[in-house]
Amino acid sequence: MYDFDKIINRYGTNSMKWDGLKETFEQDNLLPLWVADMDFEVSPAISKELEKRVKHPIYGYMHWSDEYYKSVIRWMKRRHGWEIHKDWILFTPGVVPAVSYAIKALTDIGDSVIIQTPVYHPFKTTIESNGRNVVTNPLIYKDGTYYMDLEDLERKLDSKTKVLILCSPHNPIGRVWTKKELNELGEICLKNNIIIISDEIHFDLIYKGNTHTVMADISPEIRDNCIVCTSPSKTFNIAGLQVSNIIIPNEKLREKYSMELEKDHIGRANVFGQEALIAAYNESEDWLDSLMEYLEENKNFFIDFIETRIPQLKTIRPEGTYLLWIDCSGLNMSSDELNEFFLNKCKLALNSGEMFGEEGKLFQRINIACPRAVLQEALIRIEKAVKENI
Ligand SMILES: Cc1ncc(COP(=O)(O)O)c(C=O)c1O
């Protein structure tokens, strides 16, 4: 019913992924599989609502409507089994700004914030740009998958450590953390007075056989010790509309957070973001289910191709997200050589694994949210370049 095979020309739309190639990679004749948005058109319901709103020619200040709150509350209940209240919901124009406001609200300059590397790179830069210290608690890479290292975490905690940023599901390694893993992490944080900023932006993009658990839905104690960052942006491909829901059940944390937003006058409704979210959460569930089927097939197609035709590479089988993490150690190249190889030999724009922490040095991240023919083209380019390189 939805055509995810359709190739849509995004050049000339100011797309960071397509029109931003030259700025980032110094060349533009690349197949872009980097920035985490999708090359699929949005659901018809979203297009229809936006078209309707565009026709009303005034785009002044907005307030958040009752329907908006209801849509968010129903989505959390229906898709995640999580009961939330209207007053728990705050707004930011993105999850990265939300993480930054949380750092400001919950820590002082000079305090330490923990991240679990390899992880989404703006966590580190946001901590640093706010004058806080980054403490890394690297994940354990074992038998082709990743685990949290809770012993290392406990060893690293001290009186300066105030916050841990959790990436759940985890970008770039694709883990959907189990309830048991999250509970163990949550208990350690409670015991040591560490507040969890839980970035759950990828929480709707879960592959068959896995279940996402919202951090704040594990126990009343953990609920009161975390800030949950959500958004329809990854799920429905509306990142450019800049709408995020930051859900904070604990009243004291919420007050601190709100004060930080108020200082910068953040939190007003976005004309189009609001309409898109309502159409997404109320009328686009079947589109999301179809998207996940397509992504599941893309993922399997990619992994099968690598296993059968490019055995020098190894894909970390993701449990969620449309980002694949590729172990390139079998190519026997340094990190710089790998970047050069994918850029100049394959003509692909990927994310260098090193961006996500030094543990990612021999990895690359590929975004598979594109028509299968594009993915196939990328794989053929890699296969050819690897063969030429042997
Ligand atoms: C884990 C994670 N958090 C946040 C973001 C970006 O959030 P936003 O665009 O809402 O700031 C991304 C985008 O890739 C992400 O992967």
Side-chain angles (χ1 to χ4, degrees):
M1 185 174 160
Y2 303 107
D3 186 5
F4 296 105
D5 283 324
K6 184 166 157 191
I7 308 249
I8 299 171
N9 180 359
R10 296 182 65 186
Y11 283 119
T13 62
N14 294 329
S15 147
M16 187 196 282
K17 193 184 199 173
W18 292 81
D19 292 317
L21 281 171
K22 186 117 192 172
E23 202 178 306
T24 305
F25 296 93
E26 291 168 4
Q27 47 183 307
D28 49 16
N29 58 340
L30 305 168
L31 205 54
L33 300 164
W34 58 308
V35 175
D37 68 18
M38 308 194 269
D39 292 329
F40 306 131
E41 57 193 7
V42 296
S43 74
I46 296 177
S47 293
K48 192 168 137 240
E49 278 313 308
L50 291 179
E51 277 163 24
K52 198 164 108 197
R53 187 60 187 83
V54 162
K55 285 200 180 112
H56 188 292
I58 299 179
Y59 311 120
Y61 291 118
M62 307 300 296
H63 90 131
W64 297 106
S65 66
D66 274 351
E67 190 49 34
Y68 183 89
Y69 282 103
K70 282 185 192 152
S71 307
V72 176
I73 292 168
R74 285 193 298 248
W75 186 260
M76 298 308 161
K77 173 84 183 125
R78 219 169 46 243
R79 297 293 292 201
H80 298 285
W82 185 30
E83 301 260 10
I84 61 167
H85 301 288
K86 182 180 172 184
D87 56 1
W88 294 2
I89 308 173
L90 300 174
F91 312 95
T92 62
V95 165
V96 176
V99 168
S100 182
Y101 282 112
I103 291 168
K104 284 192 261 218
L106 306 175
T107 65
D108 294 314
I109 288 181
D111 282 346
S112 298
V113 178
I114 300 161
I115 55 172
Q116 299 179 300
T117 48
V119 75
Y120 182 57
H121 48 290
F123 289 175
K124 178 172 185 281
T125 49
T126 304
I127 297 167
E128 288 171 344
S129 61
N130 279 304
R132 277 66 168 172
N133 299 321
V134 176
V135 174
T136 56
N137 167 224
L139 300 173
I140 297 171
Y141 178 43
K142 192 166 150 243
D143 302 330
T145 187
Y146 282 86
Y147 303 92
M148 291 190 197
D149 189 346
L150 298 182
E151 282 173 19
D152 174 73
L153 173 66
E154 285 197 281
R155 268 197 308 273
K156 285 180 176 161
L157 299 176
D158 63 17
S159 59
K160 283 271 175 206
T161 321
K162 304 282 169 55
V163 160
L164 176 141
I165 308 178
L166 170 70
C167 196
S168 176
H170 194 105
N171 169 11
I173 54 99
R175 277 295 317 276
V176 173
W177 304 113
T178 63
K179 189 167 183 178
K180 182 169 176 290
E181 288 171 306
L182 292 173
N183 188 44
E184 283 169 5
L185 176 75
E187 287 296 326
I188 290 174
C189 290
L190 270 177
K191 206 170 73 192
N192 293 282
N193 299 319
I194 308 291
I195 297 167
I196 297 176
I197 303 172
S198 189
D199 177 341
E200 305 196 14
I201 196 168
H202 296 278
F203 72 158
D204 294 311
L205 303 165
I206 307 297
Y207 294 115
K208 281 188 204 110
N210 302 284
T211 308
H212 175 79
T213 305
V214 175
M215 193 66 195
D217 201 27
I218 289 183
S219 70
E221 294 76 20
I222 293 175
R223 178 194 66 201
D224 281 339
N225 195 44
C226 68
I227 286 183
V228 181
C229 304
T230 74
S231 169
S233 59
K234 300 283 164 208
T235 315
F236 292 101
N237 209 21
I238 52 174
L241 294 177
Q242 300 198 303
V243 60
S244 311
N245 303 116
I246 311 310
I247 302 170
I248 312 180
N250 178 324
E251 195 179 339
K252 285 207 180 90
L253 287 187
R254 201 165 61 238
E255 270 172 19
K256 278 191 189 171
Y257 195 83
S258 292
M259 271 163 52
E260 213 50 58
L261 295 184
E262 277 163 25
K263 276 191 210 163
D264 285 353
H265 299 266
I266 293 291
R268 285 222 175 89
N270 173 300
V271 182
F272 299 110
Q274 170 154 219
E275 298 300 340
L277 178 141
I278 294 171
Y281 281 175
N282 292 348
E283 295 176 69
S284 307
E285 222 163 334
D286 63 332
W287 180 91
L288 173 58
D289 293 337
S290 304
L291 168 77
M292 283 317 296
E293 279 172 27
Y294 193 86
L295 289 177
E296 186 100 39
E297 286 169 18
N298 263 10
K299 165 187 68 103
N300 293 338
F301 172 75
F302 189 95
I303 293 175
D304 288 349
F305 194 108
I306 295 278
E307 279 177 1
T308 53
R309 292 168 59 168
I310 324 177
Q312 294 84 346
L313 301 181
K314 205 164 140 222
T315 317
I316 309 308
R317 195 170 278 275
E319 297 165 342
T321 84
Y322 50 71
L323 305 164
L324 295 193
W325 187 236
I326 316 296
D327 181 340
C328 306
S329 54
L331 292 178
N332 296 318
M333 294 183 196
S334 67
S335 176
D336 287 347
E337 285 166 348
L338 276 178
N339 295 339
E340 216 277 324
F341 174 79
F342 284 100
L343 188 64
N344 291 323
K345 298 278 170 20
C346 306
K347 292 287 172 195
L348 298 176
L350 308 183
N351 288 95
S352 160
E354 208 173 7
M355 282 172 77
F356 305 92
E358 66 164 63
E359 304 80 9
K361 266 202 307 227
L362 300 183
F363 291 77
Q364 295 278 314
R365 193 191 75 174
I366 294 193
N367 176 347
I368 60 161
C370 58
R372 193 144 320 130
V374 175
L375 203 55
Q376 186 172 23
E377 168 64 21
L379 283 161
I380 288 170
R381 288 187 193 189
I382 300 172
E383 182 186 33
K384 186 165 169 282
V386 168
K387 279 197 179 131
E388 281 168 11
N389 194 57
I390 294 171

mmCIF file of all heavy atoms in Angstrom, residues 35-37 92-99 119-120 122-123 167-171 199-202 231 233-234 239 242-244 322-323 365, ligand 1:
data_model
loop_
_atom_site.group_PDB
_atom_site.id
_atom_site.type_symbol
_atom_site.label_atom_id
_atom_site.label_comp_id
_atom_site.label_asym_id
_atom_site.label_seq_id
_atom_site.Cartn_x
_atom_site.Cartn_y
_atom_site.Cartn_z
ATOM 1 N N VAL A 35 23.429 10.889 7.513
ATOM 2 C CA VAL A 35 22.488 11.537 8.449
ATOM 3 C C VAL A 35 21.272 10.644 8.725
ATOM 4 O O VAL A 35 20.712 10.042 7.804
ATOM 5 C CB VAL A 35 21.981 12.867 7.833
ATOM 6 C CG1 VAL A 35 20.920 13.515 8.705
ATOM 7 C CG2 VAL A 35 23.132 13.818 7.580
ATOM 8 N N ALA A 36 20.842 10.619 9.993
ATOM 9 C CA ALA A 36 19.749 9.713 10.371
ATOM 10 C C ALA A 36 18.367 10.296 10.077
ATOM 11 O O ALA A 36 17.600 10.653 10.986
ATOM 12 C CB ALA A 36 19.882 9.325 11.834
ATOM 13 N N ASP A 37 18.077 10.450 8.777
ATOM 14 C CA ASP A 37 16.673 10.595 8.384
ATOM 15 C C ASP A 37 16.431 9.622 7.241
ATOM 16 O O ASP A 37 17.346 8.908 6.820
ATOM 17 C CB ASP A 37 16.284 12.052 8.074
ATOM 18 C CG ASP A 37 16.931 12.630 6.827
ATOM 19 O OD1 ASP A 37 17.421 11.857 5.964
ATOM 20 O OD2 ASP A 37 16.936 13.870 6.694
ATOM 21 N N THR A 92 10.598 20.567 23.576
ATOM 22 C CA THR A 92 11.815 21.223 23.081
ATOM 23 C C THR A 92 11.827 21.050 21.562
ATOM 24 O O THR A 92 11.145 20.156 21.037
ATOM 25 C CB THR A 92 13.103 20.586 23.658
ATOM 26 O OG1 THR A 92 13.163 19.229 23.237
ATOM 27 C CG2 THR A 92 13.173 20.674 25.162
ATOM 28 N N PRO A 93 12.613 21.860 20.864
ATOM 29 C CA PRO A 93 12.639 21.726 19.399
ATOM 30 C C PRO A 93 13.525 20.586 18.927
ATOM 31 O O PRO A 93 13.841 20.502 17.749
ATOM 32 C CB PRO A 93 13.169 23.075 18.926
ATOM 33 C CG PRO A 93 13.856 23.658 20.094
ATOM 34 C CD PRO A 93 13.335 23.027 21.334
ATOM 35 N N GLY A 94 13.927 19.680 19.798
ATOM 36 C CA GLY A 94 14.749 18.553 19.382
ATOM 37 C C GLY A 94 15.237 17.806 20.611
ATOM 38 O O GLY A 94 15.184 18.347 21.730
ATOM 39 N N VAL A 95 15.729 16.598 20.389
ATOM 40 C CA VAL A 95 16.197 15.802 21.515
ATOM 41 C C VAL A 95 17.610 16.230 21.937
ATOM 42 O O VAL A 95 17.930 16.204 23.114
ATOM 43 C CB VAL A 95 16.081 14.293 21.194
ATOM 44 C CG1 VAL A 95 16.888 13.459 22.170
ATOM 45 C CG2 VAL A 95 14.610 13.881 21.228
ATOM 46 N N VAL A 96 18.434 16.654 20.978
ATOM 47 C CA VAL A 96 19.765 17.124 21.378
ATOM 48 C C VAL A 96 19.633 18.376 22.267
ATOM 49 O O VAL A 96 20.219 18.420 23.357
ATOM 50 C CB VAL A 96 20.687 17.354 20.156
ATOM 51 C CG1 VAL A 96 22.014 17.939 20.600
ATOM 52 C CG2 VAL A 96 20.935 16.037 19.431
ATOM 53 N N PRO A 97 18.833 19.382 21.864
ATOM 54 C CA PRO A 97 18.637 20.493 22.800
ATOM 55 C C PRO A 97 18.063 20.021 24.140
ATOM 56 O O PRO A 97 18.437 20.527 25.201
ATOM 57 C CB PRO A 97 17.630 21.408 22.084
ATOM 58 C CG PRO A 97 17.659 21.003 20.657
ATOM 59 C CD PRO A 97 18.213 19.616 20.557
ATOM 60 N N ALA A 98 17.195 19.021 24.092
ATOM 61 C CA ALA A 98 16.589 18.521 25.342
ATOM 62 C C ALA A 98 17.658 17.954 26.272
ATOM 63 O O ALA A 98 17.624 18.183 27.487
ATOM 64 C CB ALA A 98 15.562 17.436 25.025
ATOM 65 N N VAL A 99 18.616 17.238 25.700
ATOM 66 C CA VAL A 99 19.698 16.661 26.505
ATOM 67 C C VAL A 99 20.548 17.795 27.081
ATOM 68 O O VAL A 99 20.919 17.798 28.255
ATOM 69 C CB VAL A 99 20.554 15.695 25.634
ATOM 70 C CG1 VAL A 99 21.846 15.309 26.341
ATOM 71 C CG2 VAL A 99 19.738 14.446 25.276
ATOM 72 N N VAL A 119 28.715 5.794 21.102
ATOM 73 C CA VAL A 119 27.360 6.337 21.213
ATOM 74 C C VAL A 119 27.220 7.619 20.380
ATOM 75 O O VAL A 119 28.221 8.281 20.055
ATOM 76 C CB VAL A 119 27.017 6.582 22.706
ATOM 77 C CG1 VAL A 119 27.706 7.820 23.270
ATOM 78 C CG2 VAL A 119 25.508 6.666 22.936
ATOM 79 N N TYR A 120 25.980 7.937 20.081
ATOM 80 C CA TYR A 120 25.603 9.142 19.328
ATOM 81 C C TYR A 120 26.491 10.327 19.753
ATOM 82 O O TYR A 120 26.445 10.757 20.912
ATOM 83 C CB TYR A 120 24.126 9.412 19.580
ATOM 84 C CG TYR A 120 23.549 10.583 18.843
ATOM 85 C CD1 TYR A 120 23.613 10.666 17.456
ATOM 86 C CD2 TYR A 120 22.895 11.603 19.542
ATOM 87 C CE1 TYR A 120 23.075 11.747 16.789
ATOM 88 C CE2 TYR A 120 22.345 12.679 18.874
ATOM 89 C CZ TYR A 120 22.445 12.751 17.503
ATOM 90 O OH TYR A 120 21.911 13.817 16.837
ATOM 91 N N PRO A 122 26.765 13.685 19.493
ATOM 92 C CA PRO A 122 26.456 14.962 20.149
ATOM 93 C C PRO A 122 26.325 14.871 21.681
ATOM 94 O O PRO A 122 26.371 15.898 22.350
ATOM 95 C CB PRO A 122 25.125 15.377 19.511
ATOM 96 C CG PRO A 122 25.168 14.741 18.175
ATOM 97 C CD PRO A 122 25.794 13.392 18.426
ATOM 98 N N PHE A 123 26.201 13.656 22.221
ATOM 99 C CA PHE A 123 26.173 13.572 23.693
ATOM 100 C C PHE A 123 27.477 14.164 24.253
ATOM 101 O O PHE A 123 27.468 14.979 25.164
ATOM 102 C CB PHE A 123 26.053 12.114 24.172
ATOM 103 C CG PHE A 123 24.707 11.453 23.938
ATOM 104 C CD1 PHE A 123 24.527 10.103 24.246
ATOM 105 C CD2 PHE A 123 23.627 12.158 23.436
ATOM 106 C CE1 PHE A 123 23.305 9.477 24.048
ATOM 107 C CE2 PHE A 123 22.403 11.537 23.219
ATOM 108 C CZ PHE A 123 22.242 10.195 23.528
ATOM 109 N N CYS A 167 21.235 5.768 25.919
ATOM 110 C CA CYS A 167 20.720 5.797 24.546
ATOM 111 C C CYS A 167 19.928 4.510 24.354
ATOM 112 O O CYS A 167 20.500 3.422 24.329
ATOM 113 C CB CYS A 167 21.891 5.881 23.566
ATOM 114 S SG CYS A 167 21.370 6.381 21.926
ATOM 115 N N SER A 168 18.618 4.610 24.244
ATOM 116 C CA SER A 168 17.768 3.425 24.299
ATOM 117 C C SER A 168 16.560 3.553 23.353
ATOM 118 O O SER A 168 15.664 4.334 23.644
ATOM 119 C CB SER A 168 17.288 3.251 25.747
ATOM 120 O OG SER A 168 16.396 2.199 25.873
ATOM 121 N N PRO A 169 16.546 2.799 22.236
ATOM 122 C CA PRO A 169 17.559 1.909 21.703
ATOM 123 C C PRO A 169 18.859 2.667 21.408
ATOM 124 O O PRO A 169 18.854 3.893 21.245
ATOM 125 C CB PRO A 169 16.944 1.408 20.411
ATOM 126 C CG PRO A 169 15.481 1.587 20.570
ATOM 127 C CD PRO A 169 15.328 2.796 21.427
ATOM 128 N N HIS A 170 19.935 1.888 21.311
ATOM 129 C CA HIS A 170 21.263 2.498 21.267
ATOM 130 C C HIS A 170 21.743 2.750 19.833
ATOM 131 O O HIS A 170 21.884 1.820 19.046
ATOM 132 C CB HIS A 170 22.248 1.577 21.993
ATOM 133 C CG HIS A 170 23.557 2.233 22.306
ATOM 134 N ND1 HIS A 170 23.902 2.650 23.570
ATOM 135 C CD2 HIS A 170 24.594 2.558 21.517
ATOM 136 C CE1 HIS A 170 25.119 3.191 23.543
ATOM 137 N NE2 HIS A 170 25.553 3.144 22.300
ATOM 138 N N ASN A 171 21.996 4.013 19.540
ATOM 139 C CA ASN A 171 22.635 4.433 18.293
ATOM 140 C C ASN A 171 24.123 4.598 18.595
ATOM 141 O O ASN A 171 24.459 5.353 19.501
ATOM 142 C CB ASN A 171 22.013 5.769 17.861
ATOM 143 C CG ASN A 171 22.763 6.437 16.732
ATOM 144 O OD1 ASN A 171 23.622 5.862 16.102
ATOM 145 N ND2 ASN A 171 22.433 7.700 16.498
ATOM 146 N N ASP A 199 17.511 8.929 26.370
ATOM 147 C CA ASP A 199 17.195 9.351 25.000
ATOM 148 C C ASP A 199 16.547 8.169 24.278
ATOM 149 O O ASP A 199 17.213 7.210 23.913
ATOM 150 C CB ASP A 199 18.494 9.795 24.312
ATOM 151 C CG ASP A 199 18.283 10.190 22.848
ATOM 152 O OD1 ASP A 199 17.253 9.800 22.262
ATOM 153 O OD2 ASP A 199 19.167 10.869 22.288
ATOM 154 N N GLU A 200 15.220 8.250 24.108
ATOM 155 C CA GLU A 200 14.482 7.127 23.509
ATOM 156 C C GLU A 200 13.935 7.505 22.131
ATOM 157 O O GLU A 200 12.894 7.012 21.699
ATOM 158 C CB GLU A 200 13.394 6.662 24.490
ATOM 159 C CG GLU A 200 14.010 6.328 25.852
ATOM 160 C CD GLU A 200 13.166 5.512 26.819
ATOM 161 O OE1 GLU A 200 12.156 4.928 26.392
ATOM 162 O OE2 GLU A 200 13.531 5.472 28.010
ATOM 163 N N ILE A 201 14.663 8.342 21.426
ATOM 164 C CA ILE A 201 14.172 8.865 20.143
ATOM 165 C C ILE A 201 13.902 7.744 19.130
ATOM 166 O O ILE A 201 13.018 7.879 18.289
ATOM 167 C CB ILE A 201 15.163 9.925 19.583
ATOM 168 C CG1 ILE A 201 14.520 10.766 18.476
ATOM 169 C CG2 ILE A 201 16.439 9.280 19.079
ATOM 170 C CD1 ILE A 201 15.319 12.002 18.071
ATOM 171 N N HIS A 202 14.631 6.619 19.236
ATOM 172 C CA HIS A 202 14.442 5.518 18.272
ATOM 173 C C HIS A 202 13.437 4.471 18.770
ATOM 174 O O HIS A 202 13.388 3.369 18.235
ATOM 175 C CB HIS A 202 15.794 4.837 17.993
ATOM 176 C CG HIS A 202 16.800 5.729 17.329
ATOM 177 N ND1 HIS A 202 16.834 5.974 15.965
ATOM 178 C CD2 HIS A 202 17.828 6.468 17.844
ATOM 179 C CE1 HIS A 202 17.830 6.799 15.672
ATOM 180 N NE2 HIS A 202 18.439 7.121 16.788
ATOM 181 N N SER A 231 10.278 11.606 20.647
ATOM 182 C CA SER A 231 9.935 12.460 19.512
ATOM 183 C C SER A 231 9.357 11.594 18.398
ATOM 184 O O SER A 231 9.747 10.433 18.263
ATOM 185 C CB SER A 231 11.206 13.152 19.007
ATOM 186 O OG SER A 231 10.960 13.773 17.775
ATOM 187 N N SER A 233 10.103 12.283 15.437
ATOM 188 C CA SER A 233 10.925 12.709 14.297
ATOM 189 C C SER A 233 11.576 11.559 13.541
ATOM 190 O O SER A 233 11.547 11.535 12.314
ATOM 191 C CB SER A 233 11.972 13.717 14.756
ATOM 192 O OG SER A 233 12.805 13.146 15.742
ATOM 193 N N LYS A 234 12.189 10.595 14.264
ATOM 194 C CA LYS A 234 12.814 9.460 13.563
ATOM 195 C C LYS A 234 11.725 8.555 13.013
ATOM 196 O O LYS A 234 11.775 8.105 11.868
ATOM 197 C CB LYS A 234 13.690 8.641 14.512
ATOM 198 C CG LYS A 234 14.816 9.386 15.132
ATOM 199 C CD LYS A 234 15.977 9.597 14.175
ATOM 200 C CE LYS A 234 16.876 10.675 14.724
ATOM 201 N NZ LYS A 234 17.617 11.418 13.774
ATOM 202 N N ALA A 239 12.055 15.031 11.144
ATOM 203 C CA ALA A 239 13.062 15.697 11.986
ATOM 204 C C ALA A 239 13.130 17.201 11.705
ATOM 205 O O ALA A 239 13.395 18.000 12.600
ATOM 206 C CB ALA A 239 14.430 15.057 11.779
ATOM 207 N N GLN A 242 11.065 19.659 13.899
ATOM 208 C CA GLN A 242 11.588 20.002 15.226
ATOM 209 C C GLN A 242 10.552 19.984 16.337
ATOM 210 O O GLN A 242 10.210 21.012 16.927
ATOM 211 C CB GLN A 242 12.260 21.366 15.157
ATOM 212 C CG GLN A 242 13.412 21.312 14.149
ATOM 213 C CD GLN A 242 14.382 22.434 14.314
ATOM 214 O OE1 GLN A 242 13.971 23.588 14.256
ATOM 215 N NE2 GLN A 242 15.637 22.124 14.499
ATOM 216 N N VAL A 243 10.059 18.775 16.606
ATOM 217 C CA VAL A 243 9.103 18.646 17.701
ATOM 218 C C VAL A 243 9.478 17.438 18.561
ATOM 219 O O VAL A 243 9.662 16.339 18.060
ATOM 220 C CB VAL A 243 7.651 18.599 17.159
ATOM 221 C CG1 VAL A 243 7.419 17.438 16.227
ATOM 222 C CG2 VAL A 243 6.635 18.573 18.268
ATOM 223 N N SER A 244 9.668 17.676 19.855
ATOM 224 C CA SER A 244 10.052 16.597 20.778
ATOM 225 C C SER A 244 9.240 16.704 22.059
ATOM 226 O O SER A 244 8.929 17.820 22.503
ATOM 227 C CB SER A 244 11.514 16.716 21.196
ATOM 228 O OG SER A 244 12.314 16.903 20.088
ATOM 229 N N TYR A 322 17.286 2.206 12.296
ATOM 230 C CA TYR A 322 17.622 1.911 10.890
ATOM 231 C C TYR A 322 19.097 2.188 10.609
ATOM 232 O O TYR A 322 19.495 2.435 9.482
ATOM 233 C CB TYR A 322 16.700 2.657 9.917
ATOM 234 C CG TYR A 322 16.529 4.144 10.164
ATOM 235 C CD1 TYR A 322 17.559 5.044 9.917
ATOM 236 C CD2 TYR A 322 15.315 4.649 10.627
ATOM 237 C CE1 TYR A 322 17.403 6.398 10.133
ATOM 238 C CE2 TYR A 322 15.137 6.004 10.854
ATOM 239 C CZ TYR A 322 16.186 6.876 10.603
ATOM 240 O OH TYR A 322 16.020 8.217 10.815
ATOM 241 N N LEU A 323 19.895 2.125 11.662
ATOM 242 C CA LEU A 323 21.329 2.389 11.521
ATOM 243 C C LEU A 323 22.081 1.083 11.735
ATOM 244 O O LEU A 323 21.857 0.402 12.727
ATOM 245 C CB LEU A 323 21.736 3.431 12.562
ATOM 246 C CG LEU A 323 20.891 4.712 12.480
ATOM 247 C CD1 LEU A 323 21.031 5.553 13.730
ATOM 248 C CD2 LEU A 323 21.242 5.521 11.229
ATOM 249 N N ARG A 365 29.125 3.437 10.168
ATOM 250 C CA ARG A 365 27.674 3.362 10.376
ATOM 251 C C ARG A 365 26.951 3.650 9.071
ATOM 252 O O ARG A 365 27.264 4.633 8.396
ATOM 253 C CB ARG A 365 27.231 4.373 11.445
ATOM 254 C CG ARG A 365 25.814 4.112 11.915
ATOM 255 C CD ARG A 365 25.278 5.258 12.752
ATOM 256 N NE ARG A 365 24.916 6.408 11.933
ATOM 257 C CZ ARG A 365 24.321 7.509 12.397
ATOM 258 N NH1 ARG A 365 24.054 7.627 13.686
ATOM 259 N NH2 ARG A 365 24.009 8.507 11.592
HETATM 260 C C1 LIG B 1 20.107 8.946 19.785
HETATM 261 C C2 LIG B 1 19.740 10.208 19.080
HETATM 262 N N1 LIG B 1 19.323 11.267 19.790
HETATM 263 C C3 LIG B 1 18.980 12.436 19.190
HETATM 264 C C4 LIG B 1 19.031 12.571 17.828
HETATM 265 C C5 LIG B 1 18.676 13.874 17.160
HETATM 266 O O1 LIG B 1 17.633 14.447 17.800
HETATM 267 P P1 LIG B 1 17.046 15.864 17.344
HETATM 268 O O2 LIG B 1 17.173 15.967 15.873
HETATM 269 O O3 LIG B 1 15.630 15.790 17.822
HETATM 270 O O4 LIG B 1 17.828 16.892 18.097
HETATM 271 C C6 LIG B 1 19.454 11.493 17.051
HETATM 272 C C7 LIG B 1 19.561 11.630 15.585
HETATM 273 O O5 LIG B 1 20.185 10.868 14.916
HETATM 274 C C8 LIG B 1 19.808 10.285 17.690
HETATM 275 O O6 LIG B 1 20.213 9.212 16.984
#
